[in-house]
Amino acid sequence: MYYGNIKKYDIADGEGVRVTLFVSGCRNHCPGCFQKETWDFLFGKEFTDDTINEILEAMNHDYIDGLTLLGGEPFEEENQPEILKLLRRVKEVYPDKNVWAYTGYILDKDILGNGRKHTEYTDEILSMIDILVDGPFIEDLKNISLAFRGSENQRVINLKETLKTGNTILYIK
């Protein structure tokens, strides 16, 4: 896996101050995407154990609320093994910090169960994510006043409650 950027003080991609990893590789190619360069699976730098350590070090402050994953696309099959490795370490070191993830795929259609992006890693990845913002960016539905999402079709999902109940529970700020 490659990544395009690590933001160590992000206040736009989830609640509070966050460390944000922009993974590389995305097949959605949403028109109007703000990160087109991350569509390329080889964009940026190679994700290594040193990258994980850099993220963990950046999270080692009381004012950091958690980690956000976006891209590119964290749920592309090629990215899931390294995403899982990262989340295992984050939860081991910082069990009380939360994890947000953004995906252009739809949770119940593409990621859960027999969805086209479901792999042997997906369920464990989902178990470590607190909030999932799902759905493709749709330029005609763009709304800059929305919290934590770019277009009106996207959902901010309380993933813990959704997985527990089996019903999609939206996150209410």
Side-chain angles (χ1 to χ4, degrees):
M1 180 173 89
Y2 282 71
Y3 68 99
N5 193 13
I6 297 170
K7 286 187 180 179
K8 297 183 179 174
Y9 311 99
D10 185 2
I11 59 169
D13 299 307
E15 280 190 331
V17 182
R18 317 192 61 72
V19 174
T20 302
L21 172 67
F22 292 82
V23 304
S24 295
C26 183
R27 292 184 178 89
N28 284 316
H29 297 188
C30 301
C33 175
F34 78 107
Q35 293 276 95
K36 285 183 181 177
E37 64 275 8
T38 65
W39 294 355
D40 180 351
F41 282 85
L42 298 177
F43 174 75
K45 300 176 185 173
E46 186 174 358
F47 189 86
T48 66
D49 287 342
D50 288 340
T51 312
I52 292 174
N53 292 332
E54 179 182 352
I55 291 168
L56 293 173
E57 184 177 319
M59 292 179 71
N60 191 21
H61 301 282
D62 290 341
Y63 59 84
I64 297 293
D65 292 288
L67 173 69
T68 297
L69 305 170
L70 37 90
E73 176 56 60
F75 284 94
E76 293 294 4
E77 298 90 325
E78 297 89 334
N79 292 338
Q80 289 190 40
E82 292 299 322
I83 293 294
L84 178 56
K85 185 176 173 182
L86 169 63
L87 290 180
R88 283 177 177 162
R89 290 285 293 134
V90 166
K91 288 300 184 179
E92 175 185 317
V93 177
Y94 304 112
D96 296 328
K97 295 196 186 230
N98 62 60
V99 176
W100 284 53
Y102 284 75
T103 179
Y105 296 109
I106 298 170
L107 176 65
D108 38 330
K109 178 183 171 195
D110 300 316
I111 299 173
L112 290 175
N114 293 321
R116 63 188 172 127
K117 293 298 165 179
H118 190 273
T119 72
E120 62 194 271
Y121 310 102
T122 308
D123 292 337
E124 189 175 353
I125 290 170
L126 292 172
S127 76
M128 291 184 268
I129 296 171
D130 297 282
I131 305 296
L132 181 72
V133 181
D134 82 337
F137 173 75
I138 298 177
E139 201 163 20
D140 289 344
L141 299 176
K142 181 179 180 178
N143 183 340
I144 61 170
S145 69
L146 298 171
F148 310 123
R149 55 197 178 120
S151 60
E152 293 176 4
N153 63 297
Q154 294 172 316
R155 303 178 297 177
V156 182
I157 298 170
N158 180 329
L159 192 56
K160 295 286 187 203
E161 289 301 310
T162 295
L163 295 175
K164 188 185 309 179
T165 65
N167 297 312
T168 302
I169 308 293
L170 297 180
Y171 176 70
I172 308 297
K173 181 181 172 195

